Amino acid sequence: MEHSSPIRLQRTFTPGEAWGFSVVGFLTWLTLAPTVNEELGTAAMWVWIPGVVVGMLLSLQMRQLGSKWQNVSGGTPNYVARLFPRNPLVGRYIGFAYYLGWVSFPPINAIVLTDLLQHHLTTLGLTLPDKPLEICFTLVAYLVAFSGSRTLAILHLFFVLPSIGFLFLFIAQGLGWLALARDSPGLLPPEFSGISSANWLKWYFYAAYAFYSSETASAFVADSKKPADTLKFLSWFAWLMPFVYIGGSWVLMRLVRAVNQKVFPKE
């Protein structure tokens, strides 16, 4: 009797296509940071700093596990299932939690985007109902997601990665301006404000998707033509997180201070 060989995924992704899935977390920061900083001010650092530490540890741990199981698809939940072979319920729980986490991401992101859009519309004297905007933003995310992994990867490669380059440039220029320019409000604020437990839990929950998305590339290691190169990006992403999440948030926080000091004249 012949035994059928296990079905293996075709390695069709290039490292660049797989990398694009992890850098989405940086773009998630773009939608979150203005709202978090406006709500918390300098206290936003108490959300970003611990979140970055957790995200870095997660990304580095997934790289280690991915190096051990390069033929395992699915990333974090499947790695955890392999760590507990005698406790299948643990693997099922993690897989279900992982699924719920990513299913809930589009609606939560839609809420944040709607709040951000409404804030700008209010300054223009315009008002739109929240629910239609939230539904539209959610549907757009699902339409793109269900177009296929390869299609989504190519979309990331051509649109997301260039935008990340401009984001890095903005942060680097902002930090340089704060540190060196005479008309800047300075690199350091005069004081840091505290944060309540309720506010910390609320905003950490919203920002958790940006922190934990660092390991997304691990889900496509088995699809990558060069899994070792794909795994390298998990380390790169981990060490870039402080620059983007902390450095970028710092720039936004100090820019608000600059506006308040009328460094930039209002039209």
Side-chain angles (χ1 to χ4, degrees):
M1 183 176 181
E2 295 183 359
H3 296 280
S4 59
S5 60
I7 299 175
R8 293 181 179 272
L9 292 174
Q10 294 294 322
R11 294 188 179 274
T12 57
F13 276 24
T14 63
E17 290 171 344
W19 293 347
F21 286 98
S22 278
V23 295
V24 171
F26 290 157
L27 297 185
T28 304
W29 171 84
L30 275 175
T31 62
L32 283 169
T35 307
V36 176
N37 283 21
E38 181 183 8
E39 179 79 13
L40 301 179
T42 57
M45 290 296 110
W46 305 123
V47 174
W48 296 117
I49 293 174
V52 164
V53 172
V54 174
M56 291 179 68
L57 293 175
L58 176 64
S59 185
L60 294 173
Q61 181 62 52
M62 288 308 106
R63 183 196 172 176
Q64 184 68 22
L65 295 177
S67 300
K68 183 178 180 181
W69 295 310
Q70 294 189 8
N71 293 323
V72 175
S73 180
T76 304
N78 288 340
Y79 294 160
V80 173
R82 293 229 170 183
L83 289 174
F84 298 94
R86 297 183 180 180
N87 297 281
L89 289 178
V90 174
R92 292 173 186 173
Y93 172 78
I94 296 298
F96 186 66
Y98 197 81
Y99 169 76
L100 286 180
W102 282 109
V103 165
S104 62
F105 173 74
I108 290 178
N109 197 47
I111 294 172
V112 175
L113 286 174
T114 299
D115 289 343
L116 185 61
L117 180 61
Q118 293 286 39
H119 174 75
H120 291 289
L121 290 176
T122 301
T123 60
L124 299 175
L126 301 175
T127 56
L128 290 175
D130 289 341
K131 291 303 178 183
L133 289 174
E134 292 171 357
I135 292 172
C136 288
F137 282 132
T138 303
L139 290 177
V140 167
Y142 278 113
L143 286 174
V144 174
F146 284 110
S147 62
S149 298
R150 190 74 193 278
T151 303
L152 189 57
I154 294 173
L155 177 69
H156 287 165
L157 189 63
F158 283 96
F159 293 98
V160 175
L161 294 183
S163 64
I164 293 298
F166 287 112
L167 174 63
F168 288 171
L169 182 62
F170 164 76
I171 296 173
Q173 287 184 331
L175 291 173
W177 175 73
L178 290 173
L180 303 175
R182 293 182 178 179
D183 58 348
S184 77
L187 189 61
L188 299 176
E191 61 181 5
F192 281 96
S193 56
I195 184 172
S196 66
S197 299
N199 270 338
W200 187 88
L201 290 171
K202 169 187 174 181
W203 290 110
Y204 188 91
F205 175 75
Y206 281 129
Y209 292 91
F211 304 140
Y212 302 155
S213 65
S214 60
E215 49 74 58
T216 307
S218 66
F220 302 94
V221 172
D223 305 75
S224 178
K225 295 178 180 178
K226 298 180 179 180
D229 290 343
T230 299
L231 288 167
K232 286 180 182 177
F233 186 73
L234 293 174
S235 296
W236 298 350
F237 188 95
W239 295 110
L240 284 171
M241 287 179 70
F243 175 71
V244 175
Y245 295 146
I246 298 177
S249 299
W250 197 276
V251 171
L252 291 180
M253 179 182 68
R254 301 304 289 149
L255 284 176
V256 172
R257 177 73 176 181
V259 173
N260 292 337
Q261 290 180 345
K262 298 182 180 180
V263 173
F264 302 113
K266 298 181 179 180
E267 296 180 358

mmCIF file of all heavy atoms in Angstrom, residues 48-71:
data_model
loop_
_atom_site.group_PDB
_atom_site.id
_atom_site.type_symbol
_atom_site.label_atom_id
_atom_site.label_comp_id
_atom_site.label_asym_id
_atom_site.label_seq_id
_atom_site.Cartn_x
_atom_site.Cartn_y
_atom_site.Cartn_z
ATOM 1 N N TRP A 48 3.580 53.744 24.365
ATOM 2 C CA TRP A 48 4.472 53.310 23.284
ATOM 3 C C TRP A 48 5.676 52.525 23.801
ATOM 4 O O TRP A 48 6.071 51.527 23.196
ATOM 5 C CB TRP A 48 4.944 54.522 22.480
ATOM 6 C CG TRP A 48 3.860 55.245 21.761
ATOM 7 C CD1 TRP A 48 3.456 56.537 21.967
ATOM 8 C CD2 TRP A 48 3.018 54.739 20.722
ATOM 9 N NE1 TRP A 48 2.430 56.863 21.129
ATOM 10 C CE2 TRP A 48 2.141 55.781 20.353
ATOM 11 C CE3 TRP A 48 2.917 53.517 20.068
ATOM 12 C CZ2 TRP A 48 1.175 55.625 19.351
ATOM 13 C CZ3 TRP A 48 1.964 53.351 19.073
ATOM 14 C CH2 TRP A 48 1.107 54.394 18.727
ATOM 15 N N ILE A 49 6.282 52.949 24.882
ATOM 16 C CA ILE A 49 7.528 52.306 25.342
ATOM 17 C C ILE A 49 7.313 50.846 25.757
ATOM 18 O O ILE A 49 8.006 49.955 25.248
ATOM 19 C CB ILE A 49 8.183 53.131 26.464
ATOM 20 C CG1 ILE A 49 8.684 54.472 25.900
ATOM 21 C CG2 ILE A 49 9.339 52.357 27.097
ATOM 22 C CD1 ILE A 49 9.218 55.431 26.950
ATOM 23 N N PRO A 50 6.378 50.532 26.670
ATOM 24 C CA PRO A 50 6.198 49.116 27.012
ATOM 25 C C PRO A 50 5.708 48.281 25.829
ATOM 26 O O PRO A 50 6.080 47.113 25.694
ATOM 27 C CB PRO A 50 5.171 49.136 28.151
ATOM 28 C CG PRO A 50 4.487 50.453 28.033
ATOM 29 C CD PRO A 50 5.496 51.405 27.487
ATOM 30 N N GLY A 51 4.896 48.890 24.965
ATOM 31 C CA GLY A 51 4.430 48.161 23.792
ATOM 32 C C GLY A 51 5.564 47.795 22.854
ATOM 33 O O GLY A 51 5.593 46.693 22.283
ATOM 34 N N VAL A 52 6.519 48.701 22.689
ATOM 35 C CA VAL A 52 7.676 48.427 21.836
ATOM 36 C C VAL A 52 8.517 47.297 22.421
ATOM 37 O O VAL A 52 8.991 46.417 21.686
ATOM 38 C CB VAL A 52 8.523 49.705 21.656
ATOM 39 C CG1 VAL A 52 9.907 49.381 21.116
ATOM 40 C CG2 VAL A 52 7.809 50.666 20.708
ATOM 41 N N VAL A 53 8.700 47.297 23.738
ATOM 42 C CA VAL A 53 9.483 46.233 24.376
ATOM 43 C C VAL A 53 8.840 44.868 24.122
ATOM 44 O O VAL A 53 9.506 43.903 23.732
ATOM 45 C CB VAL A 53 9.622 46.496 25.885
ATOM 46 C CG1 VAL A 53 10.274 45.300 26.575
ATOM 47 C CG2 VAL A 53 10.438 47.764 26.123
ATOM 48 N N VAL A 54 7.525 44.781 24.308
ATOM 49 C CA VAL A 54 6.817 43.521 24.086
ATOM 50 C C VAL A 54 6.885 43.114 22.615
ATOM 51 O O VAL A 54 7.119 41.946 22.284
ATOM 52 C CB VAL A 54 5.356 43.639 24.551
ATOM 53 C CG1 VAL A 54 4.570 42.381 24.180
ATOM 54 C CG2 VAL A 54 5.287 43.864 26.045
ATOM 55 N N GLY A 55 6.683 44.075 21.714
ATOM 56 C CA GLY A 55 6.730 43.779 20.294
ATOM 57 C C GLY A 55 8.094 43.293 19.837
ATOM 58 O O GLY A 55 8.201 42.377 19.010
ATOM 59 N N MET A 56 9.153 43.891 20.356
ATOM 60 C CA MET A 56 10.506 43.458 20.002
ATOM 61 C C MET A 56 10.770 42.028 20.460
ATOM 62 O O MET A 56 11.306 41.208 19.706
ATOM 63 C CB MET A 56 11.533 44.408 20.614
ATOM 64 C CG MET A 56 11.562 45.803 20.018
ATOM 65 S SD MET A 56 12.790 46.870 20.819
ATOM 66 C CE MET A 56 14.324 46.074 20.291
ATOM 67 N N LEU A 57 10.394 41.724 21.702
ATOM 68 C CA LEU A 57 10.603 40.372 22.222
ATOM 69 C C LEU A 57 9.822 39.344 21.414
ATOM 70 O O LEU A 57 10.326 38.251 21.114
ATOM 71 C CB LEU A 57 10.190 40.311 23.697
ATOM 72 C CG LEU A 57 11.048 41.119 24.678
ATOM 73 C CD1 LEU A 57 10.449 41.053 26.083
ATOM 74 C CD2 LEU A 57 12.487 40.602 24.692
ATOM 75 N N LEU A 58 8.596 39.692 21.039
ATOM 76 C CA LEU A 58 7.777 38.780 20.235
ATOM 77 C C LEU A 58 8.399 38.522 18.873
ATOM 78 O O LEU A 58 8.498 37.379 18.421
ATOM 79 C CB LEU A 58 6.371 39.365 20.068
ATOM 80 C CG LEU A 58 5.419 38.574 19.162
ATOM 81 C CD1 LEU A 58 5.138 37.200 19.745
ATOM 82 C CD2 LEU A 58 4.122 39.347 18.951
ATOM 83 N N SER A 59 8.833 39.590 18.209
ATOM 84 C CA SER A 59 9.423 39.452 16.873
ATOM 85 C C SER A 59 10.688 38.614 16.911
ATOM 86 O O SER A 59 10.898 37.728 16.058
ATOM 87 C CB SER A 59 9.723 40.836 16.300
ATOM 88 O OG SER A 59 10.178 40.738 14.964
ATOM 89 N N LEU A 60 11.554 38.847 17.882
ATOM 90 C CA LEU A 60 12.805 38.085 17.987
ATOM 91 C C LEU A 60 12.540 36.624 18.332
ATOM 92 O O LEU A 60 13.229 35.718 17.838
ATOM 93 C CB LEU A 60 13.710 38.724 19.035
ATOM 94 C CG LEU A 60 14.225 40.134 18.696
ATOM 95 C CD1 LEU A 60 14.968 40.723 19.881
ATOM 96 C CD2 LEU A 60 15.126 40.110 17.460
ATOM 97 N N GLN A 61 11.531 36.373 19.162
ATOM 98 C CA GLN A 61 11.199 34.991 19.509
ATOM 99 C C GLN A 61 10.640 34.246 18.300
ATOM 100 O O GLN A 61 10.968 33.075 18.064
ATOM 101 C CB GLN A 61 10.181 34.970 20.645
ATOM 102 C CG GLN A 61 9.790 33.564 21.096
ATOM 103 C CD GLN A 61 10.972 32.792 21.652
ATOM 104 O OE1 GLN A 61 11.675 33.275 22.518
ATOM 105 N NE2 GLN A 61 11.188 31.579 21.165
ATOM 106 N N MET A 62 9.810 34.918 17.493
ATOM 107 C CA MET A 62 9.248 34.274 16.302
ATOM 108 C C MET A 62 10.328 33.990 15.264
ATOM 109 O O MET A 62 10.251 33.013 14.527
ATOM 110 C CB MET A 62 8.157 35.157 15.694
ATOM 111 C CG MET A 62 6.877 35.196 16.519
ATOM 112 S SD MET A 62 6.217 33.556 16.929
ATOM 113 C CE MET A 62 6.638 33.461 18.669
ATOM 114 N N ARG A 63 11.344 34.848 15.217
ATOM 115 C CA ARG A 63 12.438 34.553 14.299
ATOM 116 C C ARG A 63 13.159 33.275 14.719
ATOM 117 O O ARG A 63 13.536 32.447 13.900
ATOM 118 C CB ARG A 63 13.437 35.711 14.247
ATOM 119 C CG ARG A 63 14.534 35.418 13.239
ATOM 120 C CD ARG A 63 15.754 36.282 13.355
ATOM 121 N NE ARG A 63 16.781 35.781 12.458
ATOM 122 C CZ ARG A 63 17.951 36.356 12.266
ATOM 123 N NH1 ARG A 63 18.240 37.454 12.918
ATOM 124 N NH2 ARG A 63 18.834 35.847 11.445
ATOM 125 N N GLN A 64 13.355 33.130 16.021
ATOM 126 C CA GLN A 64 14.036 31.938 16.523
ATOM 127 C C GLN A 64 13.239 30.677 16.207
ATOM 128 O O GLN A 64 13.787 29.670 15.752
ATOM 129 C CB GLN A 64 14.245 32.072 18.035
ATOM 130 C CG GLN A 64 15.036 30.937 18.671
ATOM 131 C CD GLN A 64 16.488 30.915 18.236
ATOM 132 O OE1 GLN A 64 17.018 31.933 17.806
ATOM 133 N NE2 GLN A 64 17.117 29.755 18.331
ATOM 134 N N LEU A 65 11.931 30.732 16.438
ATOM 135 C CA LEU A 65 11.088 29.573 16.159
ATOM 136 C C LEU A 65 10.969 29.316 14.663
ATOM 137 O O LEU A 65 10.942 28.161 14.221
ATOM 138 C CB LEU A 65 9.700 29.781 16.777
ATOM 139 C CG LEU A 65 9.657 29.862 18.301
ATOM 140 C CD1 LEU A 65 8.246 30.139 18.787
ATOM 141 C CD2 LEU A 65 10.185 28.583 18.933
ATOM 142 N N GLY A 66 10.902 30.398 13.876
ATOM 143 C CA GLY A 66 10.827 30.236 12.432
ATOM 144 C C GLY A 66 12.075 29.612 11.843
ATOM 145 O O GLY A 66 12.012 28.855 10.861
ATOM 146 N N SER A 67 13.217 29.905 12.439
ATOM 147 C CA SER A 67 14.463 29.300 11.975
ATOM 148 C C SER A 67 14.472 27.797 12.228
ATOM 149 O O SER A 67 15.057 27.026 11.466
ATOM 150 C CB SER A 67 15.662 29.950 12.689
ATOM 151 O OG SER A 67 15.722 31.330 12.424
ATOM 152 N N LYS A 68 13.794 27.387 13.285
ATOM 153 C CA LYS A 68 13.726 25.963 13.625
ATOM 154 C C LYS A 68 12.724 25.231 12.749
ATOM 155 O O LYS A 68 12.944 24.072 12.363
ATOM 156 C CB LYS A 68 13.353 25.826 15.101
ATOM 157 C CG LYS A 68 13.310 24.397 15.594
ATOM 158 C CD LYS A 68 12.975 24.351 17.078
ATOM 159 C CE LYS A 68 12.937 22.909 17.594
ATOM 160 N NZ LYS A 68 12.589 22.877 19.042
ATOM 161 N N TRP A 69 11.593 25.892 12.416
ATOM 162 C CA TRP A 69 10.530 25.248 11.637
ATOM 163 C C TRP A 69 10.252 26.060 10.372
ATOM 164 O O TRP A 69 9.214 26.721 10.235
ATOM 165 C CB TRP A 69 9.266 25.146 12.482
ATOM 166 C CG TRP A 69 9.416 24.253 13.665
ATOM 167 C CD1 TRP A 69 9.918 22.980 13.679
ATOM 168 C CD2 TRP A 69 9.057 24.548 15.020
ATOM 169 N NE1 TRP A 69 9.890 22.461 14.947
ATOM 170 C CE2 TRP A 69 9.371 23.401 15.803
ATOM 171 C CE3 TRP A 69 8.503 25.660 15.657
ATOM 172 C CZ2 TRP A 69 9.145 23.333 17.173
ATOM 173 C CZ3 TRP A 69 8.286 25.603 17.011
ATOM 174 C CH2 TRP A 69 8.601 24.455 17.762
ATOM 175 N N GLN A 70 11.162 26.007 9.425
ATOM 176 C CA GLN A 70 11.031 26.806 8.200
ATOM 177 C C GLN A 70 9.962 26.275 7.252
ATOM 178 O O GLN A 70 9.573 26.984 6.321
ATOM 179 C CB GLN A 70 12.374 26.884 7.477
ATOM 180 C CG GLN A 70 13.439 27.649 8.231
ATOM 181 C CD GLN A 70 14.689 27.898 7.420
ATOM 182 O OE1 GLN A 70 14.740 27.623 6.222
ATOM 183 N NE2 GLN A 70 15.715 28.424 8.070
ATOM 184 N N ASN A 71 9.509 25.062 7.451
ATOM 185 C CA ASN A 71 8.477 24.499 6.590
ATOM 186 C C ASN A 71 7.085 24.565 7.207
ATOM 187 O O ASN A 71 6.143 23.986 6.664
ATOM 188 C CB ASN A 71 8.809 23.033 6.262
ATOM 189 C CG ASN A 71 10.048 22.902 5.398
ATOM 190 O OD1 ASN A 71 10.289 23.718 4.508
ATOM 191 N ND2 ASN A 71 10.856 21.886 5.658
#
